[in-house]
Amino acid sequence: MGIKAALPRYEIYFYNTVLCLAMFWAASWIFEVSSSSANRKTFKGSVRPGWYYFGRKMDTADFEWTMWFSTFREHILFALSGHVLFAKLCTMLAPQYRSLVYMVYGLLAVWTSMGWTYVTLMLSHCILLYSISLVKIRWLCFVTGLCTLASFKCEPFVSWQSGFVEGDFELRHILFYGGCGFTIMRCMSFALENCERKDGNYNIIELLKYNFYLPFFYFGPIMTFDKFYVQANKSDLTRKEREMWNINMQGLIYLGAIFVVDVLFHFMYILTIPTDMKLLKHVSDWALVGLAYFNLVYDWVKAAVMFGVINTVSRLDHLDPPKPPKCITMLYVFAETHFDRGINEWLCKYVYDYLGGKHNNVVEELVATLCTFGVTILWLGPCEVVFIWAFFNCFGLNFELWAAKFFSMEPFASFETGMSEAMSRRIRAVFNTFNFWCIVLYNILALNSLDFAKLVAKRLLLKGFPFTTIIVMFVTYCLVQVIKERERRQALIDDPDPLPPPPPTTSPTDAAATSATPSATAQPVVDPNKEKAE
């Protein structure tokens, strides 16, 4: 089946209607549970006073969101505003030194917030990996980088290195782990790109420019060194038509998303409710399924907004940062599931694609996915939940390839060839429906808890069978069809179908010549009486 397979328009309208009604129905159940449980004792730690005039409390269970857009909003805005100001002045006065100014401002900002000992620690890791990269042995750079990354995940190395942080700044623990982790990943990217360079080596100043670019330093996203090097050192700083308009519009969209999430947290406590297992056992199936889905959607929105704010700043610096992650609402395959596109591109370039090749061979794909999720476990920090999450996602990624190989064999290939494209799309959507809920269940155990994932699975597949199971799967089937329709329209924009050849045109001269010349294939005159008899 091609991606451009179309369904009747009325069928797509039906799917959209069912999906919208189901979303509103699930949201109404969650709103009811939130309103009736706002004063529970278990909610006191995370549900706090919000809009006083409306009498609504606010869900503050997500520390990252609260840190970014409430508690430390002024600190983050001050640092990023200073970067934008100095970057703009340098671009106007001495554009050839702009990447150097980025580095100096980033070093001063990190020094101010974390102390000179922390800057020394980061510089020591940069020098270590730079020295290893001069040998130009790829596996040695990779092993050194992973060992250095592990030193921030395992005791007693973490405690020893965290002692380099000075001051009593409340964010220092978050900034410490964020800055250290992203520094090691950036240094590994530099080292691996230096191994690929045939003529000479990159300068260590280029590594420092790359690592201490402030918008990316603490919170990412990761931009591979080859892309950053080209974009940060380009001489042509002219912008495309309407580029500033697009940047301003994106900034407004992110502000709108922040407002929408703020409203959501006042009416639906989607982060606090999953922590109360006693309450969850008494909520309806619709509320439980809606909580699982909305938690994943919220995590995507959070990643998109947080990375989007940083990306807006970097685009002002004439960089092209990694795009926001793909929303769970637009996913139904494991191959496209990620919440950080920067880390995903890093892993694909240096591990997954490097080992997996064209991803057609089952054994190569298995080795590539095992190594990729091994690095991911080290990046996230080894623990029971991360191991379970990695195992199921690794299995799902490989199972998709196994299923594709199996159904491409006979007689399945002949069956699909014999049916219409629309019917093939419907059958594939049925299988994608089950795949979608595997993605949801495998990821909520990492975002929420293992107990919450177990409860959702038990209620969806066992206690709610067959009524809840069939209805939820049908709504999910409608969602998958809506996703496929969006992909079809995008494919038609990216690769439009060729237009049919125009009919041959006949000039007036040719027409006159044809009428004047008796045709060689002219039919003989038929007697009307004979024709009637026949």
Side-chain angles (χ1 to χ4, degrees):
M1 182 207 77
I3 193 174
K4 299 178 183 178
L7 294 179
R9 186 171 297 180
Y10 67 84
E11 188 174 345
I12 299 299
Y13 289 156
F14 173 75
Y15 293 147
N16 279 284
T17 304
V18 171
L19 185 60
C20 292
L21 292 175
M23 293 293 179
F24 281 116
W25 183 248
S28 66
W29 280 100
I30 298 174
F31 172 74
E32 183 179 343
V33 174
S34 301
S35 300
S36 60
S37 307
N39 296 319
R40 288 176 66 90
K41 292 183 179 180
T42 53
F43 283 18
K44 286 185 177 180
S46 55
V47 177
R48 298 176 181 177
W51 291 342
Y52 174 77
Y53 295 103
F54 293 94
R56 301 296 307 182
K57 294 184 177 181
M58 181 180 180
D59 190 346
T60 60
D62 190 345
F63 172 76
E64 280 186 306
W65 185 270
T66 306
M67 173 193 71
W68 263 81
F69 303 110
S70 179
T71 312
F72 299 101
R73 175 179 52 199
E74 292 79 9
H75 300 78
I76 296 172
L77 283 176
F78 179 77
L80 293 179
S81 299
H83 172 87
V84 171
L85 177 62
F86 282 102
K88 184 63 177 176
L89 289 174
C90 181
T91 303
M92 292 167 53
L93 301 176
Q96 67 273 22
Y97 299 114
R98 63 192 183 93
S99 59
L100 194 62
V101 172
Y102 298 160
M103 180 194 73
V104 173
Y105 181 85
L107 274 168
L108 292 175
V110 175
W111 191 336
T112 303
S113 59
M114 301 293 285
W116 69 270
T117 53
Y118 179 77
V119 174
T120 305
L121 177 65
M122 294 297 96
L123 288 173
S124 65
H125 284 293
C126 291
I127 294 171
L128 171 64
L129 281 164
Y130 177 77
S131 303
I132 297 297
S133 71
L134 297 178
V135 185
K136 293 202 171 186
I137 301 177
R138 188 183 179 91
W139 68 265
L140 182 61
C141 295
F142 216 98
V143 171
T144 305
L146 292 180
C147 292
T148 311
L149 183 62
S151 68
F152 291 103
K153 307 293 180 181
C154 306
E155 293 290 350
F157 305 105
V158 180
S159 300
W160 176 70
Q161 294 183 95
S162 62
F164 286 91
V165 182
E166 297 178 345
D168 56 352
F169 186 44
E170 294 182 53
L171 275 181
R172 62 192 182 97
H173 294 294
I174 302 297
L175 300 182
F176 171 78
Y177 289 108
C180 293
F182 282 112
T183 292
I184 301 304
M185 299 297 277
R186 283 189 288 263
C187 289
M188 288 178 67
S189 176
F190 174 87
L192 294 171
E193 292 297 335
N194 195 58
C195 291
E196 297 296 326
R197 187 172 185 177
K198 297 180 180 179
D199 51 336
N201 300 288
Y202 290 107
N203 196 309
I204 190 172
I205 298 298
E206 298 297 337
L207 172 58
L208 298 181
K209 291 178 183 178
Y210 172 49
N211 184 60
F212 286 99
Y213 179 67
L214 183 64
F216 292 166
F217 183 80
Y218 285 118
F219 304 109
I222 289 180
M223 191 175 180
T224 54
F225 175 74
D226 57 332
K227 295 181 180 179
F228 182 87
Y229 178 76
V230 172
Q231 296 175 23
N233 293 290
K234 67 181 180 181
S235 57
D236 183 15
L237 300 181
T238 56
R239 296 192 181 275
K240 300 177 182 178
E241 186 180 357
R242 296 177 63 85
E243 184 176 352
M244 281 304 301
W245 167 264
N246 293 332
I247 293 174
N248 292 330
M249 288 304 298
Q250 284 191 349
L252 292 176
I253 289 172
Y254 295 134
L255 287 176
I258 294 170
F259 176 75
V260 170
V261 172
D262 192 75
V263 173
L264 174 70
F265 281 164
H266 282 85
F267 290 93
M268 293 192 293
Y269 307 145
I270 59 174
L271 302 179
T272 299
I273 294 175
T275 61
D276 191 343
M277 297 304 297
K278 291 183 179 179
L279 175 63
L280 288 175
K281 292 178 180 178
H282 298 92
V283 301
S284 66
D285 295 345
W286 277 102
L288 195 62
V289 170
L291 281 170
Y293 177 76
F294 285 126
N295 265 266
L296 286 180
V297 173
Y298 162 72
D299 197 74
W300 170 81
V301 171
K302 179 179 74 172
V305 171
M306 291 171 63
F307 288 144
V309 172
I310 295 173
N311 288 352
T312 302
V313 176
S314 63
R315 289 186 66 189
L316 291 173
D317 295 335
H318 299 271
L319 298 181
D320 185 18
K323 296 178 182 179
K326 196 170 184 180
C327 181
I328 186 66
T329 310
M330 297 298 166
L331 289 176
Y332 54 85
V333 290
F334 281 91
E336 297 181 357
T337 305
H338 55 266
F339 292 95
D340 185 341
R341 198 181 290 266
I343 290 291
N344 181 72
E345 291 178 356
W346 192 100
L347 291 169
C348 287
K349 180 171 185 178
Y350 299 121
V351 185
Y352 185 59
D353 292 338
Y354 184 80
L355 298 175
K358 296 182 179 180
H359 304 291
N360 292 326
N361 186 281
V362 175
V363 178
E364 289 181 354
E365 180 74 4
L366 180 61
V367 173
T369 51
L370 287 174
C371 294
T372 301
F373 280 100
V375 177
T376 307
I377 290 171
L378 190 59
W379 163 252
L380 295 175
C383 63
E384 180 186 5
V385 173
V386 173
F387 278 116
I388 296 173
W389 170 85
F391 170 78
F392 281 117
N393 279 274
C394 183
F395 171 76
L397 195 58
N398 282 276
F399 185 76
E400 285 180 349
L401 178 62
W402 301 341
K405 291 282 187 183
F406 178 74
F407 286 106
S408 64
M409 299 166 58
E410 295 294 340
F412 304 106
S414 299
F415 288 159
E416 186 171 18
T417 305
M419 67 177 64
S420 64
E421 288 191 344
M423 183 56 65
S424 174
R425 170 175 161 173
R426 296 185 184 100
I427 294 175
R428 284 174 176 261
V430 172
F431 290 98
N432 295 144
T433 298
F434 295 98
N435 209 38
F436 179 90
W437 272 103
C438 288
I439 294 174
V440 172
L441 293 174
Y442 294 168
N443 284 281
I444 60 173
L445 63 88
L447 296 176
N448 297 101
S449 66
L450 185 60
D451 294 332
F452 179 61
K454 285 181 180 178
L455 183 62
V456 174
K458 187 181 296 183
R459 190 79 69 87
L460 179 63
L461 302 176
L462 298 178
K463 288 188 176 181
F465 186 83
F467 185 72
T468 301
T469 307
I470 293 175
I471 292 181
V472 171
M473 290 302 170
F474 176 70
V475 173
T476 309
Y477 170 82
C478 296
L479 172 61
V480 171
Q481 288 289 13
V482 171
I483 299 172
K484 285 180 176 290
E485 182 63 20
R486 184 178 182 275
E487 291 176 346
R488 185 187 74 86
R489 294 182 179 181
Q490 187 62 42
L492 291 175
I493 295 174
D494 297 337
D495 182 23
D497 293 332
L499 297 174
T505 57
T506 305
S507 63
T509 307
D510 295 339
T514 303
S515 59
T517 306
S519 174
T521 58
Q523 298 295 327
V525 180
V526 181
D527 184 5
N529 296 327
K530 182 179 180 182
E531 184 180 9
K532 184 177 180 181
E534 290 178 352

